[in-house]
Amino acid sequence: MSDIKHYIAPTTLEQALETLALGRVTILSGGTDLTPQVSVGRRHFEDTLMNIRRIEGLSQISMQGDEIRIGGSATVSDIRYHDLIMKYAPLLCETASHFASEQIRNAASIGGNICNASPAGDMIIPLLVLGASVELASWTKGVVQTRRIPLDEFFTGPGKTLRNSNELLAAVIFKKPSADFVGFFRKSGPRPALEISTVSLGIGGEMKEGKFQHVRVAMGAVGPTPLRGRQTEAALEGQKLTRTIIDHAVLAAQQDASPIDDIRATKWYRNHLVAVFTEELLYNVCQN
Amino acid sequence: MSEQVAFQHIEKKSLIGTRIKKPDAPAKAIGKTRYINDMVLPQMLYAKILHAGRPHAEIVSIDTSEAEKLAGVYAVITAKDVPDLKLGFVKDNAPLKGKVRCERDEVAAVAAESEAIAAAALKLIKVVYKDLPGVFSPEDGLKEGAPIIQERFPDNKSLRFEFKHGDLEQAEKDSDIILDDEFNVHYVTHCCMGTSCAIADFDHNGKLTIYSQTQYPYNYKMDLAPALGIDPGDIRVIQPPTGGSFGAKLDVYPFEPVAAILAQKTGRPVKILFDREEEFINSPTRQPAKMHVRTGCTKDGVLTFRSADVLMDNGAYTSWGPTVPVIMMRTVSGHYRVPVVDFKGQAVYTNNAYAGSFRGYGNVQMTYATAQHMDMLAEKLYDDYGLDPIAFRLKNAQESGEVTPQKSFLRECAFAECITTAADASDYVNKLKKYTAERATDDRYKRGIGLASSIHNAGGAKIHKSDGCGTMLKVDDYARVTVITGASEIGQGIDAVIAQIVSEELGVPVEHVTLVNNDSDLGPWDVGVHASRTTFIAGNGARRAAIKAKKQILAAAAKQANVTADELDLRGGYVVQDKDGAVVIKLDRMLRQMHFQPVPDVVMVSDYYEPNSEPEGKDHISDHSAAYSHAVHIAEVIVDTYTGEVKVEKVTMAQDVGRVINRMGLEAQMEGGLAFGLGFALSEEMLFEKGHLKNPSFRDYKVPTAPDMPELDIHFIESDCAEGPYGAKGIAELPTIVIAPAIANAVYNATGIRFFNPPMTPEKVAHAIWDKKRTAS
């Protein structure tokens, strides 16, 4: 039985935030995670179901100064085919093309994918590699207030984030990558479409004079949240990608990962894939 | 128009082998088809079933009083309301249970004004259980002192099958090579797009109309009646369009009598419709099997014997699953000539899910073993004795006129042609040698090629007293034909095939043939859609009926035209001269002239076609099918030896189809059947932990998606079956049966590792490769 008492679809951010401030609101932003979670009883609907897809400008993708800003309700398809993203962050387009299926990509939003906070959330990995932050908006003292949180601090556990219930993920923002930036994403699963990642991995950095710099490594489905591979980053930072360095990075990556056994894979296989993917992506970086 | 045509000559043109569009395809493609799942009847109630959710328990008490009080609830029933009702193959199942024997067990049911109210009412039913120790493997079920699942079977032994032929001891002595392996085939389920559904409605005379997805409407009445305590004659089965069956609807399952009991109790139509999670937990599975298989061979490459000891997890109740040895026994000894056979199959009750019928019916399991054993022998014979792998197979391949140890008579056998066609088309032998040589390299991606084959019944299987099908056919005053057939349409395409056959015989457009086959009060008897039989059996029936109608029309036309009937023919909607196609009279005009005369001559004919096969018999030694067919699949794979991912790039299929009838339907059956086998081989698996299904969703139960489908190179071998319609044989199961071992053989070719336990998931493959490397170093 539905517990929804009100359904609203605001057209301005202010209306949405005011509603959110009243409490007992479920945010609908595509619904591709929400609906199945409700139907299996993992989540329940609050009194008000608020569809944020009609908020003007919330799905916009734009360049602001040296930052790229993706509105919270931009869909995975919006991102995949956006000129700006294709030009400056093709890594995101690449990841988007591996995301679920065409129908789900057309509905699922970036804000939803981030706030669902699945350890296997695909879009989170390249965003971590790009050093993104989230912008949270709320209605405080009669005005719209925003705060920024780096994405790698945002997740606190499976399905848990620092977002307060009165806050809406307004945008995800990252600095325009430099011309030297290279980044790659890899995910695994038994079939090529509609797959929840068994393991996902992203590696990015600037390749300057043969040295790999400002390296960021991100991993999915190998811990309670999507995570930064700090030891791997340390093993790679400022290094030439020699065989020895890559071997060190592979070992470090397995230290960074802390996978568990579940019905999709064993801990052994996840560790194995972390090693395979780290080597594979670093090889791609070398080839680039 | 008719004046112009009157001077024309119409050539004889056959439709057989052409591409006929499935009549319901456009409506299905645009979402216009009203499936049973969409149906709403006036005053209809919605029912929900309370499942136990635990594998083995006494039911101490059930309190339904709160549920009954909920507004909108019309009835709540438990086992107490239906104490004596039984169902299932050995009547060990019941619509509602007084004791819990598996997770899905139906404990209570509610009928209410809406699904939401019914679901809310379920939550108000208080059941006190006393959990009992469970049995979760057949081995444990056979142990001394194991918990008893079914009181009538205190040793937990369910069905047993045995077949022996020849002197095994001598055959072992005569063998230079003996393979001895255990194959363990896992649980999978049908995943019909339309989830299980039934709508039951009683009239005031006590007659039940049940809207059902069943594949066997006539015997269904016989099986449903004792689960309701009514006469089978008081049941009318209506089959609205269904979203897939594949064997899952070849038995009565508890939700069907539950809907009927609630309809009886409330006096309203009652609908039960599963959601996807319920569908996963409460549907039949494919029969899992642990198969200890031994195969002997001489160094000249002549097979000497095969033995198979099959242990089956019966689950808590007996549906069709544990009867699969009926087919296993035949295929273990068929297709390659095996002179000595020893087969044993034992099913053991456990607290796990229970299996039903599933496309391939035992042969998916058995061929997974036999086709790998043939590949292992082929490798050994090549390595040790230099025997060519194709020559080895041809040496042992059965031929036309042979009779198997179980007395399957292979009248028209095109197995050798299937082997050579597929091997030549795929360049099998050269690739096999090349990839074997490449196995030792350090390359991450390894290619492999694998051949597998099997035999299957292709002219029905006379496991019932009759394997026949009735047909009634009328041709009306407008030369429109209505065919009332016993054969059910469950998506497989008999609608197109019958229209095509009738059109072929009566010379009317395919679109002028209407099929009526969804109401048991109208249709004559048919055993059901199973055993790759419908085109063969119902196709023959439709053809015979159409020929009768044609004779009647031509006799009347001949009399009028003052010629003999064999000088005339029916073509393009006209009666014509057979020799030159000269138009005699327009068919509709002819039919009206026959009708409107002092002694009306109306075209209404009937036929009951019984194939010339023999009853299965209790010893299982009989020619139980009117035809048998063979297929060869050659799979080409790329294995990522790091991640363990297996990509099937291409499959070359050669299958003896007797004769192509509807080419489009046939191709679709090949593709769809292969997709089933592909999922079984690589990704699909029901994961159970102490009787609890851990992955009841498409997220975690992985059916293949479109990008998984390989390139297909399909070769239809036409052996021209004397008994089949126009020479056709049944075709639908072999594509599912053969592909998995072809992939397993290809993965072996690529990696040097045998997978006896499907599915070959990336993790399983990666682990095996890692393990092999570790052991080697």
Side-chain angles (χ1 to χ4, degrees):
Chain A
M1 236 180 297
S2 168
D3 298 318
I4 303 167
K5 296 193 175 66
H6 316 283
Y7 169 80
I8 63 162
T11 53
T12 68
L13 187 63
E14 288 78 4
Q15 285 169 358
L17 296 177
E18 275 185 80
T19 305
L20 212 48
L22 297 174
R24 304 191 68 88
V25 178
T26 303
I27 298 172
L28 174 66
S29 181
T32 57
D33 282 317
L34 177 66
T35 323
Q37 285 172 6
V38 168
S39 72
V40 300
R42 256 180 63 198
R43 287 187 63 175
H44 65 94
F45 286 122
E46 301 285 353
D47 291 350
T48 302
L49 182 66
M50 180 169 72
N51 184 356
I52 60 167
R53 301 300 285 271
R54 295 190 194 164
I55 296 174
E56 220 161 293
L58 199 67
S59 65
Q60 211 169 47
I61 298 172
S62 60
M63 178 92 87
Q64 299 190 353
D66 66 345
E67 286 183 337
I68 292 171
R69 182 185 169 90
I70 303 173
S73 67
T75 66
V76 175
S77 290
D78 290 341
I79 293 168
R80 187 181 177 196
Y81 298 114
H82 199 277
D83 290 342
L84 208 57
I85 305 296
M86 285 198 267
K87 186 171 177 193
Y88 293 109
L91 171 64
L92 273 176
C93 304
E94 164 74 8
T95 308
S97 72
H98 291 286
F99 188 97
S101 68
E102 200 65 40
Q103 295 92 326
I104 295 174
R105 288 192 285 266
N106 288 338
S109 67
I110 188 69
N113 193 236
I114 293 171
C115 291
N116 186 51
S118 161
D122 276 343
M123 296 304 288
I124 297 165
I125 301 305
L127 288 169
L128 285 171
V129 168
L130 290 162
S133 297
V134 294
E135 185 180 283
L136 300 173
S138 60
W139 191 253
T140 312
K141 296 172 189 163
V143 285
V144 175
Q145 302 271 0
T146 62
R147 62 171 179 146
R148 270 197 196 188
I149 300 174
L151 195 56
D152 54 17
E153 293 168 19
F154 185 58
F155 304 105
T156 55
K160 292 199 175 75
T161 68
L162 293 177
R163 183 181 72 88
N164 295 319
S165 64
N166 67 336
E167 288 178 314
L168 186 72
L169 192 149
V172 54
I173 298 156
F174 56 90
K175 219 175 136 219
K176 184 184 94 182
S178 81
D180 301 320
F181 180 84
V182 284
F184 292 97
F185 171 81
R186 179 74 152 92
K187 75 180 269 191
S188 151
R191 60 185 178 194
L194 278 167
E195 191 60 51
I196 309 275
S197 293
T198 303
V199 164
S200 56
L201 193 82
I203 295 182
E206 290 163 16
M207 193 53 95
K208 271 189 183 154
E209 290 149 16
K211 287 184 178 163
F212 203 29
Q213 296 174 356
H214 303 117
V215 180
R216 291 197 197 93
V217 174
M219 299 175 177
V222 293
T225 67
L227 51 88
R228 284 277 294 275
R230 303 283 182 186
Q231 297 181 70
T232 320
E233 291 171 2
L236 292 166
E237 187 57 46
Q239 300 287 348
K240 284 191 172 158
L241 297 184
T242 61
R243 182 75 251 174
T244 317
I245 293 299
I246 290 175
D247 287 347
H248 284 160
V250 167
L251 286 176
Q254 288 183 301
Q255 296 295 315
D256 283 326
S258 56
I260 52 162
D261 289 337
D262 66 16
I263 63 166
R264 275 173 227 138
T266 63
K267 183 177 168 175
W268 174 85
Y269 188 52
R270 289 201 161 100
N271 270 320
H272 177 78
L273 286 181
V274 165
V276 170
F277 290 174
T278 304
E279 186 173 345
E280 187 183 313
L281 293 191
L282 289 173
Y283 182 76
N284 289 347
V285 171
C286 294
Q287 295 289 301
N288 199 266
Chain B
M1 183 74 192
S2 66
E3 289 309 307
Q4 286 173 352
V5 176
F7 300 102
Q8 278 185 5
H9 297 255
I10 303 173
E11 260 180 74
K12 200 175 181 78
K13 215 171 83 186
S14 177
L15 285 174
I16 301 305
T18 63
R19 306 174 70 82
I20 303 291
K21 287 178 189 145
K22 206 172 174 318
D24 60 356
K28 282 184 171 169
I30 63 169
K32 209 178 170 191
T33 301
R34 288 194 189 91
Y35 291 93
I36 182 173
N37 312 53
D38 306 316
M39 274 184 64
V40 178
L41 296 180
Q43 296 201 312
M44 189 175 84
L45 300 176
Y46 297 82
K48 280 267 173 205
I49 294 173
L50 182 68
H51 299 280
R54 58 188 66 229
H56 201 194
E58 303 280 358
I59 297 173
V60 179
S61 65
I62 305 184
D63 179 359
T64 58
S65 56
E66 291 299 313
E68 283 161 30
K69 280 185 219 153
L70 187 69
V73 169
Y74 279 69
V76 183
I77 54 170
T78 67
K80 270 188 273 178
D81 300 291
V82 288
D84 302 317
L85 303 179
K86 293 287 175 209
L87 70 151
F89 190 74
V90 294
K91 298 283 175 279
D92 58 1
N93 203 343
L96 293 163
K97 317 296 195 274
K99 181 197 163 187
V100 177
R101 297 182 183 86
C102 65
E103 180 181 28
R104 67 174 279 188
D105 265 356
E106 299 77 10
V107 171
V110 175
E113 255 167 24
S114 71
E115 234 178 327
I117 295 172
L122 287 190
K123 288 186 183 150
L124 298 175
I125 298 174
K126 295 185 198 81
V127 189
V128 177
Y129 296 99
K130 186 184 159 214
D131 286 316
L132 299 170
V135 173
F136 303 108
S137 73
E139 291 89 344
D140 284 350
L142 290 175
K143 278 182 188 155
E144 187 91 8
I148 295 165
I149 317 298
Q150 289 276 0
E151 291 66 23
R152 265 169 59 209
F153 302 88
D155 56 1
N156 289 332
K157 283 183 181 167
S158 173
L159 305 179
R160 180 172 180 84
F161 295 85
E162 279 186 35
F163 174 71
K164 277 188 176 48
H165 180 83
D167 184 346
L168 182 63
E169 210 173 307
Q170 186 58 43
E172 288 185 15
K173 280 182 199 154
D174 295 342
S175 305
D176 299 307
I177 307 166
I178 293 179
L179 300 179
D180 185 325
D181 293 290
E182 184 164 311
F183 297 83
N184 195 349
V185 170
H186 60 300
Y187 280 101
V188 291
T189 188
H190 309 70
C191 299
C192 301
M193 281 172 75
T195 55
S196 297
C197 184
I199 303 170
D201 190 12
F202 276 90
D203 73 10
H204 290 292
N205 299 318
K207 182 168 178 177
L208 168 67
T209 297
I210 186 153
Y211 300 83
S212 166
Q213 297 161 320
T214 185
Q215 297 172 238
Y216 74 120
Y218 303 95
N219 281 353
Y220 179 79
K221 299 204 260 186
M222 191 71 84
D223 290 345
L224 184 58
L228 297 173
I230 65 174
D231 190 281
D234 288 333
I235 300 173
R236 176 187 182 193
V237 184
I238 294 183
Q239 298 162 278
T242 170
S245 294
F246 314 107
K249 312 288 156 51
L250 206 58
D251 202 350
V252 170
Y253 290 104
F255 73 96
E256 295 161 295
V258 163
I261 293 160
L262 286 168
Q264 205 170 25
K265 196 160 175 176
T266 59
R268 299 254 208 139
V270 172
K271 177 176 184 173
I272 291 188
L273 171 64
F274 286 173
D275 65 26
R276 184 54 64 184
E277 188 176 330
E278 283 180 296
E279 181 75 6
F280 268 108
I281 298 170
N282 304 303
S283 299
T285 70
R286 176 175 283 142
Q287 179 62 51
K290 289 177 181 166
M291 305 177 291
H292 180 195
V293 179
R294 300 169 73 244
T295 307
C297 187
T298 68
K299 62 180 188 306
D300 303 323
V302 178
L303 295 176
T304 48
F305 76 92
R306 178 167 289 133
S307 73
D309 200 341
V310 179
L311 186 61
M312 293 176 289
D313 191 327
N314 194 93
Y317 304 97
T318 308
S319 178
W320 282 105
T323 69
V324 296
V326 168
I327 295 299
M328 285 179 158
M329 284 190 283
R330 287 190 189 263
T331 59
V332 80
S333 56
H335 110 280
Y336 289 106
R337 207 173 293 120
V338 185
V340 174
V341 182
D342 187 331
F343 178 94
K344 292 187 203 73
Q346 175 71 57
V348 181
Y349 282 110
T350 69
N351 296 110
N352 288 327
Y354 53 102
S357 168
F358 195 161
R359 194 175 194 170
Y361 195 69
N363 205 1
V364 171
Q365 297 89 320
M366 191 42 82
T367 297
Y368 194 73
T370 58
Q372 287 203 69
H373 259 191
M374 287 306 290
D375 198 55
M376 292 158 79
L377 286 174
E379 185 189 36
K380 203 156 173 50
L381 288 163
Y382 176 72
D383 289 351
D384 296 354
Y385 306 103
L387 188 60
D388 176 80
I390 293 298
F392 161 60
R393 287 177 168 96
L394 290 173
K395 193 174 217 171
N396 293 284
Q398 288 174 320
E399 293 165 355
S400 296
E402 277 189 47
V403 177
T404 72
Q406 269 185 296
K407 303 284 179 269
S408 295
F409 177 26
L410 311 182
R411 290 170 192 82
E412 305 88 3
C413 176
F415 184 28
E417 199 183 338
C418 291
I419 296 173
T420 51
T421 302
D424 291 347
S426 61
D427 194 18
Y428 170 72
V429 175
N430 287 328
K431 284 179 181 167
L432 183 75
K433 289 175 184 170
K434 182 170 177 267
Y435 300 151
T436 305
E438 286 171 4
R439 209 189 278 157
T441 65
D442 283 337
D443 294 345
R444 172 172 176 175
Y445 298 95
K446 295 271 166 54
R447 285 181 179 276
I449 191 165
L451 183 156
S453 58
S454 194
I455 185 176
H456 207 69
N457 47 273
K462 203 170 280 182
I463 54 171
H464 296 279
K465 286 171 184 160
S466 166
D467 197 21
C469 174
T471 308
M472 300 191 282
L473 183 150
K474 69 158 183 165
V475 191
D476 71 11
D477 293 345
Y478 312 101
R480 303 292 168 124
V481 186
T482 301
V483 182
I484 307 176
T485 174
S488 302
E489 167 62 26
I490 53 170
Q492 86 278 28
I494 193 60
D495 46 0
V497 165
I498 284 181
Q500 185 181 12
I501 287 174
V502 168
S503 167
E504 175 79 7
E505 295 301 332
L506 296 179
V508 296
V510 173
E511 306 77 51
H512 288 189
V513 182
T514 299
L515 196 67
V516 176
N517 65 338
N518 57 2
D519 185 340
S520 69
D521 274 4
L522 286 178
W525 193 86
D526 173 75
V527 76
V529 187
H530 77 129
S532 304
R533 71 184 281 280
T534 306
T535 290
F536 193 101
I537 308 283
N540 264 336
R543 187 184 187 198
R544 284 156 44 120
I547 289 171
K548 281 181 196 172
K550 183 177 178 179
K551 271 192 185 150
Q552 189 183 341
I553 296 165
L554 292 187
K559 203 169 151 193
Q560 208 177 73
N562 217 4
V563 294
T564 60
D566 55 11
E567 289 175 77
L568 300 176
D569 195 11
L570 298 177
R571 293 176 200 168
Y574 288 85
V575 180
V576 300
Q577 298 279 357
D578 187 45
K579 62 175 191 301
D580 60 1
V583 165
V584 174
I585 185 171
K586 204 158 179 256
L587 181 59
D588 57 346
R589 236 180 116 198
M590 181 68 229
L591 286 155
R592 286 195 293 269
Q593 286 181 13
M594 288 167 72
H595 182 181
F596 301 119
Q597 57 179 329
V599 184
D601 182 10
V602 181
V603 183
M604 301 187 294
V605 299
S606 68
D607 178 76
Y608 187 85
Y609 170 68
E610 180 70 47
N612 61 357
S613 48
E614 297 169 1
E616 174 71 22
K618 67 176 190 333
D619 299 330
H620 309 288
I621 300 171
S622 59
D623 188 22
H624 79 160
S625 182
Y628 303 88
S629 167
H630 294 76
V632 172
H633 288 189
I634 295 180
E636 296 177 55
V637 304
I638 295 181
V639 181
D640 181 339
T641 60
Y642 290 7
T643 63
E645 285 160 2
V646 175
K647 169 76 186 153
V648 182
E649 292 250 289
K650 185 180 172 187
V651 179
T652 306
M653 312 165 85
Q655 181 166 334
D656 171 11
V657 300
R659 173 103 184 262
V660 179
I661 305 283
N662 179 7
R663 193 169 295 274
M664 198 192 292
L666 186 54
E667 286 169 0
Q669 284 282 358
M670 295 292 131
E671 291 165 6
L674 185 122
F676 260 108
L678 194 68
F680 164 77
L682 295 177
S683 59
E684 292 182 40
E685 182 170 25
M686 301 174 88
L687 300 166
F688 287 98
E689 191 176 81
K690 290 196 184 303
H692 167 65
L693 180 64
K694 293 195 295 175
N695 56 337
S697 74
F698 282 131
R699 188 188 64 185
D700 296 321
Y701 180 94
K702 295 174 190 302
V703 296
T705 57
D708 292 288
M709 277 300 278
E711 177 196 342
L712 299 182
D713 179 20
I714 305 174
H715 300 262
F716 296 129
I717 311 296
E718 297 191 304
S719 64
D720 198 11
C721 173
E723 178 73 10
Y726 308 96
K729 291 182 174 182
I731 54 91
E733 289 171 282
L734 274 169
T736 300
I737 291 162
V738 186
I739 183 62
I743 295 170
N745 289 341
V747 171
Y748 174 79
N749 183 223
T751 63
I753 299 170
R754 284 269 162 218
F755 289 89
F756 296 128
N757 310 326
M760 292 167 273
T761 59
E763 169 155 6
K764 210 183 272 181
V765 173
H767 198 274
I769 291 169
W770 176 81
D771 219 31
K772 191 182 170 200
K773 271 189 197 154
R774 198 183 48 163
T775 325
S777 63

